Amino acid sequence: MSANDQSGGGAARQGQLKREGLIFEHGAPGRVGYSLPKLDVPEIDPVESWGADQVRDDIAGFPEVSEVEVVRHFTRISQHNFGVDTGMFPLGSCTMKYNPRVNESVARLPGFAAAHPYMPYSMMQGSLELMERLEQALAGVTGMDRVTLQPAAGAQGELTGIMLIAAYHAHRGEQRTKVLIPDSAHGTNPATASFCGLEPVEIPSNSRGTIDIEALAAEADENTAALMLTNPNTIGLFEDQMDEIARIIHDVGGQIYCDGANLNAILGKTRPGDIGIDVFHINLHKTFTTPHGGGGPGGGPVAVREHLAPFLPWPTVERDDSGMLCLDWQRPQSIGKIHTFQGNFAILVRAYAYIRALGPEGLRQVAEDAVLNANYLRVKLEGHYHLPYQQISLHEVIFSDRKQKKNGVTAMDICKRLMDYGYHPPTVYFPLVVPGALMLEPTETVSREELDVFIDAMIAIAGEAETDPDVVKGAPHSTFLRRLDEVGAARRPVLRWDPQAADTDGD
Amino acid sequence: MTKTNDPYGGGKYLSQGPDDRRALLEAIGVDSIDDLFASIPASSRFSGQLPVEPALAEVELARHLRELADSNGPAQGVLSFLGAGCYPHYVPAHVDALIQRQEFLTSYTPYQAEISQGTLQYIFEFQSLICFLTGIDVCNASMYDGGSAVAEAILMARRLRRQGGKVLWSEGLHPIYREVAATYATYRDLTFEIMPLGEDGRTIVPPIDDDVVAVVVQQPNFFGIVEDLKAAGADLENHPAQYVVVTSESLSWGLTVPAGDVGADLVVGELQSFGNGLNYGGPLVGFMACRQSSVRNLPGRLAGQTVDENGERGFVLTLSTREQHIRRAKATSNICTNTALCALATCIHLCSLGRNGVRDLAKTNLAKATYARQQIASEANLEVVYTGPHFNEFAIQLPGDAVEIVDRCSEAGVVPGVPLGWFDTERSRQLLVCVTEIHRRAEIDRLVTTLAEVCR
Amino acid sequence: MAEYPDSYRYTKDHEWVSFEGDVGTVGITDHAQNELGDVVYLELPEVGAQIKEGQPFGTIESVKAVSDLVAPVSGEITEVHTGLIDAPELVNDDPHAGAWMVRVRLDDAAVAETLWGADEYRKFLEETAEGD
């Protein structure tokens, strides 16, 4: 590709892309996009039944569109999105891997999908068995004793995990106030600690990118409620001194919480429960391929060691004396209720289906291929991009924009330029410990050829940053829209469609 | 024989073959895959086989899951009248077809706006639809569920008020929403006081003292009663406490007065009724909407309208400094996920129903539930617990323990409702019955005769 | 380097104060606005609030960052520049005059002597810039 070809590899799709107005700009009075069953019972006039002052008019502002218009509208706007099936999605720490289609179909089986959460247990043995089996599988993969499937997402799992630790200390009559958090941690970690009334204390990384053990030992004391760890950490490195870390924290009576964001790298290679971790949360959409959905719904099960099990959110899945599965609402030491019902069941079905498709050898192969692919990117791109940590990485690898910055090209510019080549950008500016970070996680679901084409694109962009930096700085060129004005959006927020403003614009 | 990836299980989800792996190892410059895991010291290494059942081929997997699903009641034609926060409504086929488009299903959170306009645009449309429905200014991009939305609303009310610590909540607020809020508030200096219900089932709001940060009322309430929101919030007009209106059955908004028009400061709850199935209780679609003046304290993501370099209209995530990845320890909440795909289903269903359909569907529900309530009273001789106006749910008084009666009805293939003793031991003889557009008259009649027989 | 008025006093948190009798006017420096980037929002205290030297009295936000505004002096807020809420871009365009944020009735007018002059602040900026 010549440097003048600003469109990159993604241009071929553009002919399909059409501008599409808001749904509010479609339709006309009297069109309907719904059908109703003919009333087989007497009609009730709400004004008579409730009183006129309790009943609203129709919903001004809503569109009046046919089903055809609805389908075309949402199909068209979908084409302005990039999905995992569109192409490689090397988004570090987010593990955007292929989402098997069979998982979608089994989650929609009527026996699962049409079940109300308050169905009598005797009628729900199949779903409860799935939950019991998934709990056992996740406990097996993580080496832990019990698992709650209730949290609706990783962040809620994290909140649950820290609440479990706080409840554990409170139960023992201890008032501990500090949570130690490595500086490479996810932003949710300090947010969660504060949410639970605990004070986050930052622990620096050493030059190898792992926890500074001396700093940890100096900060750990009888006031330490927990260490919040990510292992492998956000730099993609394994905390190789886990024995020492666990000893330091447990010696002062603290608990170790591990963020399971990077479980994909260690499946069958190491188990959190075997290396001193007390609480571990799992992002089902990362490791266990439940679809990201553009930002949820997720699933954030939390796995714990036995001593924390009494504090798990109620209800838990248990068997009664007759062996029948049921939900146990009577958990006196429980931290309480986290989800309105028993968790995002339809997401759990997908995760369970994935685990059963792979089995123990398959799961281990997932970790091996993910790590293999990340290291291949590392050796192929080293030299073209600055590599802050030289050692073998696990499932993700971090470069930075240091070389390109000399020509005024930032990590964000490189990201936007990758869109022109047909890729979703990597994670940028995270972790914060690496300035201008570009975090790549190819996952196990990309092939060698795909990796090679991606590598070529990255090298081409590095070349453009030298020879024609403006083409990178002005990217993307081939997307439906160019760079968007985020400053204007934040200064004068327009957060909803306003028909009156739209009318005025038209005058 | 050529070695292949496992053809008997999930090998098909892996894109590298045995030759590729060898080539990659060579390119990396290591001898074996174990060299890449050398950073895991021996003492941390797991060397056994994971205690997970063996791999299944897709045909086996599909059969195994179908067997589990088929053993559930709903696969066997059980007739159910369960609501209580999760409502059985018909989901039109095009809703589910559209959310399965990979561009929606497999996309990421729309941080990279240029390749996420589809998601950003529907979030903007979703926010707008909920504003029109609730009569309030701003809605976020959705939340986990109704329970966490109520919890976050109470915490937000506390932030806005900056002082005080008392929450008044209605006995008609879903008891599990109260439980979730109490869990979230474990480490907050908040006290909770119940506002009782009158004989009509409407909330009796006491005088509001200075310490109150929020008054929380559900519409329609947990017992299906349509609250008089204006009357309930009358004393709040000149009080700095936040008037929080919750809904678990958002279809009711097709008929009820918009909460924003009668003084609500925060409108929160559950949108599962639009476009989302039951799914044994999850995923759900929480949401939170507020007045313009409070938007900087609103948790969750927000999409905003803007322009690109060429002046074309587009959308971005905005006001993100409220969120955890910027503020870290000072964030408004630790939420970083919404339930985007479920919100999309809600958005598509609401667009399809349009200006008249939400009302029409709500009227159908009202008619069916009213018929059921009247038949149960006249044919099964069971009294309703509250005399006030109902929407599509109502509580009835039973002659004996509701759990036992539900069990006996279930044996006859009818799950007649939710036993209220689960939530409140003093209500052990009460049953909450929900009737929607999916129920035919003959099915309602069967509910009535079954209840009449069992309760005789 | 930008103009830093000689009549103002400055702090290491990049705030400026101009004094008139027992009233101080507070804003952020050109260096601070440059570091923040495009300012999109400010949260300022209300008239009558007490602020305390070294303590946060408000926040300032750009698209990707949020910072505390650290009080350079102690006293009672007598006036708040509410116009900034609607026009936050003023902070970028005219940080040393048009984008004043609050006026404070000083607890102790002698505080001026403890803050940096323009020369000292410029020197501080040069020293900290070397670290990059």
Side-chain angles (χ1 to χ4, degrees):
Chain A
M1 186 184 309
S2 80
N4 293 332
D5 178 6
Q6 300 200 337
S7 62
R13 298 189 302 123
Q14 201 178 20
Q16 298 281 320
L17 299 182
K18 294 203 178 86
R19 273 181 58 84
E20 173 64 14
L22 290 162
I23 191 72
F24 308 106
E25 294 161 335
H26 288 283
R31 290 188 198 161
V32 297
Y34 61 97
S35 59
L36 290 169
K38 279 197 189 65
L39 215 50
D40 55 3
V41 296
E43 188 177 346
I44 300 293
D45 178 356
V47 171
E48 255 175 51
S49 180
W50 299 355
D53 59 339
Q54 300 297 323
V55 181
R56 78 178 298 161
D57 295 331
D58 67 359
I59 307 165
F62 262 42
E64 291 178 75
V65 284
S66 69
E67 180 176 314
V68 190
E69 290 175 281
V70 169
V71 169
R72 292 228 167 103
H73 172 74
F74 286 99
T75 301
R76 282 179 187 155
I77 67 170
S78 82
Q79 289 169 333
H80 303 153
N81 262 6
F82 189 100
V84 167
D85 295 353
T86 312
M88 187 170 151
F89 217 123
L91 196 62
S93 178
C94 298
T95 318
M96 295 294 286
K97 50 161 106 172
Y98 172 67
N99 307 138
R101 284 305 185 276
V102 67
N103 298 356
E104 292 305 307
S105 69
V106 294
R108 287 171 167 81
L109 288 165
F112 292 142
H116 189 280
Y118 291 148
M119 271 273 165
Y121 305 136
S122 60
M123 293 184 174
M124 290 308 298
Q125 292 298 294
S127 290
L128 291 166
E129 184 182 332
L130 185 142
M131 291 172 77
E132 182 187 51
R133 283 166 170 265
L134 178 61
E135 177 177 346
Q136 285 165 357
L138 294 175
V141 165
T142 57
M144 307 293 267
D145 299 314
R146 286 301 306 260
V147 179
T148 172
L149 302 172
Q150 206 175 120
Q156 205 181 33
E158 187 179 310
L159 176 63
T160 303
I162 295 301
M163 290 190 82
L164 291 170
I165 290 173
Y168 168 79
H169 290 310
H171 179 70
R172 293 160 58 94
E174 293 185 356
Q175 289 266 338
R176 292 169 177 253
T177 56
K178 279 198 307 195
V179 176
L180 313 183
I181 302 176
D183 57 7
S184 59
H186 287 265
T188 49
N189 291 177
T192 301
S194 323
F195 197 90
C196 296
L198 297 164
E199 180 202 351
V201 177
E202 193 168 277
I203 303 294
S205 305
N206 57 31
S207 60
R208 294 182 304 122
T210 51
I211 293 181
D212 183 330
I213 295 285
E214 279 173 30
L216 182 73
E219 201 58 65
D221 57 24
E222 69 288 346
N223 238 336
T224 302
L227 166 69
M228 286 183 90
L229 188 71
T230 305
N231 194 16
N233 68 18
T234 57
I235 296 161
L237 304 175
F238 192 79
E239 292 291 349
D240 53 4
Q241 298 190 66
M242 268 314 294
D243 291 350
E244 187 60 12
I245 291 169
R247 192 189 58 71
I248 291 169
I249 298 300
H250 289 151
D251 277 0
V252 298
Q255 296 284 294
I256 302 182
Y257 168 87
C258 184
D259 187 317
N262 299 333
L263 176 60
N264 210 46
I266 56 169
L267 291 168
K269 295 292 177 182
T270 179
R271 300 196 307 169
D274 299 339
I275 59 174
I277 287 159
D278 302 292
V279 187
F280 186 82
H281 97 251
I282 299 160
N283 299 79
L284 293 180
H285 69 272
K286 294 185 181 182
T287 309
F288 300 109
T289 68
T290 67
H292 202 290
V302 177
V304 297
R305 305 277 303 279
E306 194 62 53
H307 63 282
L308 294 167
F311 308 102
L312 289 174
W314 62 267
T316 52
V317 179
E318 310 286 349
R319 284 185 184 270
D320 70 10
D321 297 339
S322 69
M324 188 175 84
L325 285 157
C326 56
L327 294 167
D328 182 7
W329 287 35
Q330 306 301 323
R331 311 271 303 174
Q333 294 180 329
S334 167
I335 58 165
K337 199 94 183 69
I338 287 289
H339 189 278
T340 304
F341 298 104
Q342 35 269 5
N344 286 349
F345 180 80
I347 300 299
L348 305 179
V349 177
R350 292 169 171 91
Y352 176 72
Y354 178 73
I355 293 172
R356 290 306 312 273
L358 283 149
E361 286 97 7
L363 290 171
R364 180 191 283 253
Q365 190 69 54
V366 163
E368 292 182 355
D369 286 1
V371 170
L372 187 66
N373 287 352
N375 280 285
Y376 185 63
L377 288 183
R378 178 176 58 82
V379 297
K380 289 288 184 176
L381 291 175
E382 188 181 2
H384 301 280
Y385 291 88
H386 171 241
L387 181 69
Y389 302 99
Q390 302 290 324
Q391 63 264 55
I392 288 173
S393 60
L394 285 173
H395 63 302
E396 56 197 8
V397 56
I398 297 182
F399 293 96
S400 91
D401 63 5
R402 189 189 283 183
K403 285 184 197 218
Q404 289 70 34
K405 204 114 182 244
K406 281 180 295 206
N407 296 314
V409 171
T410 65
M412 186 57 81
D413 297 328
I414 294 164
C415 268
K416 301 291 185 195
R417 185 60 177 150
L418 267 170
M419 296 176 188
D420 288 332
Y421 283 85
Y423 296 100
H424 191 284
T427 297
V428 269
Y429 303 116
F430 181 82
L432 304 175
V433 288
V434 176
L438 285 157
M439 188 191 222
L440 303 171
E441 179 180 6
T443 83
E444 73 282 3
T445 60
V446 292
S447 67
R448 174 157 53 126
E449 306 88 271
E450 263 185 299
L451 286 170
D452 284 334
V453 179
F454 174 75
I455 288 161
D456 288 346
M458 285 292 286
I459 293 172
I461 293 170
E464 289 171 346
E466 294 289 329
T467 58
D468 191 2
D470 284 344
V471 77
V472 186
K473 284 194 267 187
H477 304 280
S478 64
T479 46
F480 169 66
L481 291 178
R482 301 290 297 276
R483 279 196 209 190
L484 289 134
D485 180 9
E486 295 190 22
V487 173
R491 278 183 178 161
R492 283 166 194 81
V494 178
L495 304 173
R496 60 178 292 191
W497 166 248
D498 181 350
Q500 279 166 344
D503 284 350
T504 320
D505 289 347
D507 289 342
Chain B
M1 194 179 79
T2 319
K3 190 169 161 28
T4 69
N5 285 344
D6 178 17
Y8 300 105
K12 62 182 185 155
Y13 302 155
L14 302 165
S15 291
Q16 307 290 22
D19 292 347
D20 302 311
R21 295 192 185 102
R22 263 191 304 279
L24 262 55
L25 285 173
E26 199 172 307
I28 294 165
V30 293
D31 294 332
S32 78
I33 191 73
D34 289 340
D35 293 346
L36 297 179
F37 287 91
S39 65
I40 304 179
S43 60
S44 295
R45 199 78 66 88
F46 177 76
S47 49
Q49 169 145 307
L50 285 173
V52 173
E53 289 171 277
L56 294 177
E58 188 166 321
V59 60
E60 297 164 325
L61 181 68
R63 182 167 51 221
H64 168 53
L65 283 153
R66 198 174 54 244
E67 281 168 2
L68 286 176
D70 284 354
S71 74
N72 287 336
Q76 295 156 5
V78 165
L79 180 59
S80 142
F81 295 87
L82 300 168
C86 194
Y87 295 92
H89 293 296
Y90 181 72
V91 178
H94 70 283
V95 174
D96 199 45
L98 285 168
I99 69 166
Q100 286 194 70
R101 287 187 62 87
Q102 73 87 19
E103 295 88 340
F104 290 133
L105 183 75
T106 75
S107 59
Y108 183 63
T109 310
Y111 293 126
Q112 298 287 348
E114 296 86 352
I115 49 172
S116 309
Q117 283 301 301
T119 301
L120 288 161
Q121 180 165 336
Y122 82 66
I123 291 176
F124 184 82
E125 292 173 346
F126 168 89
Q127 291 171 183
S128 306
L129 291 164
I130 305 309
C131 290
F132 288 132
L133 263 183
T134 57
I136 206 157
D137 304 334
V138 186
C139 180
N140 67 12
S142 77
M143 306 178 87
Y144 301 138
D145 60 4
S148 62
V150 170
E152 293 278 2
I154 287 167
L155 300 182
M156 176 169 166
R158 176 67 184 75
R159 284 196 299 277
L160 287 167
R161 181 76 212 275
R162 292 185 186 174
Q163 56 180 333
K166 197 198 296 182
V167 174
L168 298 177
W169 56 20
S170 164
E171 190 184 358
L173 177 61
H174 196 309
I176 301 298
Y177 290 1
R178 281 187 258 143
E179 291 284 346
V180 174
T183 306
Y184 269 64
T186 307
Y187 301 99
R188 295 292 177 287
D189 206 6
L190 288 170
T191 55
F192 297 93
E193 223 169 81
I194 289 265
M195 300 184 288
L197 304 180
E199 276 183 18
D200 59 358
R202 284 178 164 169
T203 306
I204 301 168
V205 181
I208 298 161
D209 63 47
D210 247 12
D211 196 36
V212 174
V213 297
V215 174
V216 190
V217 177
Q218 181 171 315
Q219 173 76 309
N221 73 23
F222 184 64
F223 306 100
I225 300 291
V226 179
E227 294 269 5
D228 185 342
L229 288 182
K230 193 169 184 185
D235 286 352
L236 280 158
E237 267 177 55
N238 299 311
H239 193 284
Q242 297 285 299
Y243 186 17
V244 182
V245 174
V246 178
T247 190
S248 68
E249 174 44 305
S250 41
L251 176 63
S252 63
W253 294 343
L255 293 174
T256 56
V257 176
D261 293 356
V262 285
D265 298 301
L266 296 174
V267 185
V268 303
E270 180 59 61
L271 296 162
Q272 171 269 332
S273 289
F274 295 115
N276 287 272
L278 299 170
N279 290 311
Y280 205 33
L284 301 168
V285 201
F287 76 98
M288 190 159 168
C290 70
R291 303 219 168 267
Q292 186 70 43
S293 54
S294 314
V295 64
R296 302 272 167 178
N297 273 291
L298 183 67
R301 294 187 182 121
L302 282 167
Q305 183 179 313
T306 189
V307 290
D308 78 350
E309 282 171 2
N310 299 328
E312 296 278 343
R313 178 174 67 190
F315 304 91
V316 292
L317 287 181
T318 192
L319 308 186
S320 54
T321 47
R322 299 162 301 119
E323 292 184 58
Q324 44 79 20
H325 64 280
I326 307 280
R327 262 181 207 245
R328 295 173 80 89
K330 286 184 177 174
T332 50
S333 96
N334 91 326
I335 285 189
C336 62
T337 315
N338 39 332
T339 46
L341 202 69
C342 301
L344 172 62
T346 293
C347 183
I348 296 169
H349 195 196
L350 280 173
C351 291
S352 307
L353 288 166
R355 184 169 185 146
N356 302 302
V358 185
R359 181 196 57 210
D360 289 351
L361 186 57
K363 276 182 77 176
T364 303
N365 275 248
L366 175 65
K368 299 262 187 181
T370 306
Y371 174 74
R373 188 158 47 95
Q374 288 167 348
Q375 292 297 109
I376 286 173
S378 63
E379 305 301 315
N381 290 316
L382 299 171
E383 277 181 34
V384 288
V385 176
Y386 295 112
T387 58
H390 290 81
F391 178 54
N392 66 359
E393 249 181 322
F394 52 91
I396 54 173
Q397 193 71 46
L398 299 177
D401 183 79
V403 175
E404 283 171 25
I405 288 172
V406 168
D407 281 347
R408 283 164 59 198
C409 291
S410 300
E411 284 163 21
V414 178
V415 183
V418 178
L420 291 176
W422 284 356
F423 311 100
D424 179 353
T425 48
E426 287 177 19
R427 294 182 185 269
S428 64
R429 292 183 165 205
Q430 294 179 9
L431 187 72
L432 188 63
V433 182
C434 172
V435 186
T436 76
E437 79 282 359
I438 69 164
H439 298 108
R440 287 169 293 178
R441 181 180 189 143
E443 290 169 330
I444 298 170
D445 292 342
R446 191 173 150 208
L447 165 72
V448 175
T449 44
T450 307
L451 272 175
E453 276 167 27
V454 168
C455 295
R456 197 166 40 203
Chain C
M1 189 172 280
E3 290 292 315
Y4 289 99
D6 286 326
S7 59
Y8 287 7
R9 309 297 287 181
Y10 300 87
T11 72
K12 67 170 173 47
D13 298 309
H14 309 285
E15 264 110 17
W16 56 261
V17 194
S18 93
F19 293 94
E20 205 167 320
D22 65 346
V23 172
T25 301
V26 178
I28 68 165
T29 66
D30 183 67
H31 173 82
Q33 70 79 18
N34 204 32
E35 288 288 299
L36 273 167
D38 294 312
V39 174
V40 298
Y41 184 67
L42 291 103
E43 208 166 36
L44 297 172
E46 284 171 17
V47 170
Q50 295 287 331
I51 66 170
K52 196 165 178 317
E53 185 180 339
Q55 300 288 315
F57 71 94
T59 55
I60 184 163
E61 297 184 14
S62 62
V63 175
K64 301 274 154 140
V66 53
S67 308
D68 282 330
L69 294 164
V70 181
V73 294
S74 300
E76 183 187 328
I77 302 285
T78 59
E79 210 179 326
V80 178
H81 188 178
T82 48
L84 281 186
I85 309 291
D86 293 324
E89 54 271 26
L90 260 183
V91 178
N92 299 112
D93 298 344
D94 189 13
H96 293 156
W100 68 274
M101 292 172 182
V102 291
R103 297 197 210 281
V104 187
R105 184 173 316 284
L106 302 168
D107 288 350
D108 176 9
V111 68
E113 305 311 312
T114 66
L115 302 178
W116 286 333
D119 285 343
E120 284 166 288
Y121 180 64
R122 269 191 292 264
K123 197 161 150 246
F124 170 69
L125 289 183
E126 279 161 26
E127 282 167 7
T128 44
E130 279 166 19
D132 287 346

